[in-house]
Amino acid sequence: MEESIKLSFEYSKSLEKERVINTIKRLPWYRDNRYNVDIIAFPKNLDTNNLVSTSDEDILNAIDLEYNQEKHISSEKEMTKLFSLYEGRLVSFLKETELPIISNIIVHLVMYGTAGSYSLPNKVIVNISKFYNVGLMRNILHEIIHLHIQHLIDTYKIGQWEKERVVDLLMEKCFPEITKQQHIQIDTTKIDEVFNTHYPNVPYILETIGEISR
């Protein structure tokens, strides 16, 4: 039987609340890793200068004012249709790189937080308030690749920006026509050399990057 990847979409006010709370908790981490926290999305009625003191009730009330389930439903339909155009190539790419295929991935569609994130073993979270169509699909694929290499990231203790550069390079290999490179906050010369020399052996690439980064 041919292998495949199935996406299941979830969205609700409670998931939006969870996203806002988790994003607030992670703001120090984003600042420490030199992310631009000014572009992170929050409900308009929240005081972004005093987020740490915001109550759960205030967060939910702010979400209630903006929540539009039709937008989530529309995004789900659009992403389901678009993913069918990329799924085969993604599966072939994972086989080529000998990465274990996660056959069922849950996608949370939210309006807040960063462009995207992921959570093991199989969850992707993407922002539909700032991204749509191919841009949103690109974020989903980016986070799916993160999921597939995270076991190696943990094994070889790869740093945040090293990890992001590897995912960008993998995206460029698999989906060159839609990939956009991030502004990486470190010198990537050695990472690029290792990647270009040893692709598609992703485990060895990450093992080597782990060694040269320490």
Side-chain angles (χ1 to χ4, degrees), residues 160-202:
Q160 174 64 19
W161 288 110
E162 290 85 355
K163 173 181 68 174
E164 290 297 334
R165 180 55 178 167
V166 170
V167 171
D168 279 358
L169 291 169
L170 291 171
M171 281 287 292
E172 196 168 58
K173 284 286 186 183
C174 193
F175 310 109
E177 76 283 9
I178 65 169
T179 297
K180 285 188 176 180
Q181 298 295 323
Q182 303 176 75
H183 177 61
I184 302 295
Q185 300 283 351
I186 58 172
D187 181 0
T188 65
T189 304
K190 290 182 179 179
I191 295 170
D192 293 2
E193 287 175 359
V194 170
F195 185 91
N196 291 327
T197 301
H198 299 291
Y199 182 86
N201 191 343
V202 173

Side-chain angles (χ1 to χ4, degrees), residues 89-191:
R89 206 188 321 172
L90 177 61
V91 170
S92 297
F93 161 78
L94 293 171
K95 288 180 178 178
E96 178 188 32
T97 52
E98 298 185 4
L99 292 169
I101 295 175
I102 302 170
S103 58
N104 292 286
I105 294 175
I106 299 167
V107 181
H108 285 184
L109 301 176
V110 297
M111 296 176 62
Y112 308 112
T114 58
S117 60
Y118 62 99
S119 176
L120 294 176
N122 66 331
K123 185 193 299 180
V124 163
I125 308 167
V126 289
N127 186 322
I128 64 171
S129 65
K130 294 186 176 182
F131 300 91
Y132 58 93
N133 201 273
V134 173
L136 185 57
M137 187 79 260
R138 176 173 56 243
N139 291 347
I140 290 174
L141 294 170
H142 179 98
E143 302 305 332
I144 287 174
I145 290 178
H146 268 299
L147 281 177
H148 282 86
I149 67 168
Q150 187 59 41
H151 64 293
L152 297 169
I153 298 300
D154 293 337
T155 298
Y156 300 118
K157 298 178 172 56
I158 307 297
Q160 174 64 19
W161 288 110
E162 290 85 355
K163 173 181 68 174
E164 290 297 334
R165 180 55 178 167
V166 170
V167 171
D168 279 358
L169 291 169
L170 291 171
M171 281 287 292
E172 196 168 58
K173 284 286 186 183
C174 193
F175 310 109
E177 76 283 9
I178 65 169
T179 297
K180 285 188 176 180
Q181 298 295 323
Q182 303 176 75
H183 177 61
I184 302 295
Q185 300 283 351
I186 58 172
D187 181 0
T188 65
T189 304
K190 290 182 179 179
I191 295 170

Side-chain angles (χ1 to χ4, degrees), residues 53-113:
S53 300
T54 305
S55 69
D56 288 5
E57 184 180 3
D58 288 339
I59 291 170
L60 194 53
N61 288 338
I63 290 168
D64 278 336
L65 293 173
E66 299 178 357
Y67 190 76
N68 180 357
Q69 185 156 295
E70 288 305 313
K71 182 177 178 63
H72 293 74
I73 292 170
S74 175
S75 295
E76 176 183 2
K77 290 178 180 177
E78 187 176 53
M79 291 304 101
T80 299
K81 184 177 179 180
L82 265 179
F83 186 64
S84 67
L85 304 178
Y86 295 100
E87 181 196 1
R89 206 188 321 172
L90 177 61
V91 170
S92 297
F93 161 78
L94 293 171
K95 288 180 178 178
E96 178 188 32
T97 52
E98 298 185 4
L99 292 169
I101 295 175
I102 302 170
S103 58
N104 292 286
I105 294 175
I106 299 167
V107 181
H108 285 184
L109 301 176
V110 297
M111 296 176 62
Y112 308 112

